[in-house]
Amino acid sequence: ADSNLGTVLMEQRRFAQAAVAFRDSLVATQALAARDPGNADYPNSMIESYAWLADALEGSGKLDDAIGQRERELAVAGQLAAKSSDVELRRSAVVAHRALGRLLTSRNQLGAGLAHLDTSTRIADTLVATEPGNSQWLQYAAWSQLDLGGLLLLNGQKDNAASAVRKGCDLTARLIAKDRSVVEWNDRLRRGCAMGRARLALANGSTGEALALAQDAARSTAVTVAAKADTRLAIASARALIGDIRAATGDEAGARRDWLAARAALPED
């Protein structure tokens, strides 16, 4: 019941309250696991609870606590993986390592973040190699590669960043070719690919190419209060990048205009 409440609260972006619900669910599952250590269902439920709790904590700005929950999630998953070949454990590991890559980087631990994202991409690549037609594995691999490319660029590794972004964009194209109606592929991943390519172009001094790609990433239906928060955040990020590109070309007035547009696109909370 607590986990169901938590997911509803997450949809409403009430992250602090969701974290309380997921923590209560985790404590209850841990108690059940202690009473019945031979029941494999409980550790799997704990992994899911750690993941949800980490997401809620990240949303409420408690990044260090979120990192701790993701590390606990991986520890439990690792213990189970040593005794099981369940592919869901590898799926969980892909997501958890990717999340840790993002979280640790936000805490100025770029080296550790890169290590986790590299692990995420390697596990995802293994899943894709095992089931090349599995759309879920392709999606996870695409996101991991795009995120890795972004961190490699931050670390000054432009060639490696370009390789990762290219892989992520190739996987995105494969998914869109399967079904253009899937929003996660034809909107979010497509936008993520365009952003990755735009940042690389800007780093290489190709401001015209960077601007065209960033404008493509910003393209969407009108951003209204009712628009999904993740879409608003993505558009805000794209508009901020457009501002950075204009600033790099000396267009200070245009840069300020796009930076203000980026702020306006952000979710109210």
Side-chain angles (χ1 to χ4, degrees):
D2 288 321
S3 60
N4 291 335
L5 173 61
T7 55
V8 171
L9 292 168
M10 288 288 284
E11 282 289 321
Q12 298 171 349
R13 295 180 62 80
R14 295 161 65 184
F15 298 119
Q17 291 166 281
V20 172
F22 288 128
R23 202 181 294 275
D24 288 345
S25 176
L26 176 61
V27 169
T29 304
Q30 288 171 327
L32 290 170
R35 288 200 294 269
D36 187 6
N39 191 326
D41 289 339
Y42 295 139
N44 285 320
S45 295
M46 285 168 57
I47 291 170
E48 184 177 355
S49 293
Y50 279 128
W52 277 111
L53 176 56
D55 280 344
L57 290 166
E58 182 180 356
S60 59
K62 297 181 178 180
L63 302 187
D64 290 334
D65 198 355
I67 289 169
Q69 301 304 329
R70 285 293 184 183
E71 290 173 339
R72 294 181 187 97
E73 175 191 355
L74 283 174
V76 175
Q79 292 171 1
L80 289 181
K83 301 177 287 186
S84 169
S85 59
D86 185 357
V87 73
E88 280 299 303
L89 294 173
R90 285 187 285 170
R91 182 200 62 78
S92 297
V94 169
V95 175
H97 280 295
R98 181 185 167 217
L100 274 170
R102 179 182 64 251
L103 287 163
L104 288 166
T105 300
S106 71
R107 304 303 284 168
N108 297 315
Q109 298 179 49
L110 181 57
L114 276 168
H116 278 288
L117 266 168
D118 183 64
T119 300
S120 180
T121 59
R122 285 190 286 106
I123 299 171
D125 286 347
T126 300
L127 290 170
V128 171
T130 302
E131 293 184 80
N134 188 310
S135 297
Q136 187 178 51
W137 304 156
L138 291 170
Q139 178 180 309
Y140 287 157
W143 275 123
S144 292
Q145 290 288 354
L146 291 172
D147 284 357
L148 178 62
L151 292 198
L152 288 167
L153 186 59
L154 279 177
N155 202 39
Q157 301 179 54
K158 287 196 289 186
D159 290 343
N160 289 337
S163 177
V165 169
R166 184 167 54 251
K167 290 177 183 175
C169 290
D170 287 346
L171 290 165
T172 298
R174 285 174 61 182
L175 286 166
I176 293 173
K178 277 173 170 272
D179 189 345
R180 299 185 67 86
S181 69
V182 179
V183 173
E184 181 67 23
W185 306 342
N186 200 30
D187 184 78
R188 298 189 186 101
L189 267 173
R190 177 197 59 77
R191 200 189 306 276
C193 168
M195 288 289 286
R197 292 175 61 203
R199 291 189 179 106
L200 281 166
L202 179 59
N204 288 320
S206 301
T207 52
E209 179 186 2
L211 182 60
L213 287 163
Q215 287 172 332
D216 178 54
R219 191 174 299 120
S220 181
T221 55
V223 179
T224 65
V225 174
K228 284 286 189 180
D230 55 356
T231 298
R232 291 172 64 91
L233 286 169
I235 293 173
S237 180
R239 293 304 296 266
L241 179 57
I242 292 171
D244 294 343
I245 296 165
R246 293 197 194 282
T249 65
D251 181 4
E252 295 183 4
R256 284 195 297 273
R257 187 166 56 248
D258 281 299
W259 289 331
L260 287 171
R263 180 183 296 177
L266 288 170
E268 292 183 359
D269 57 350

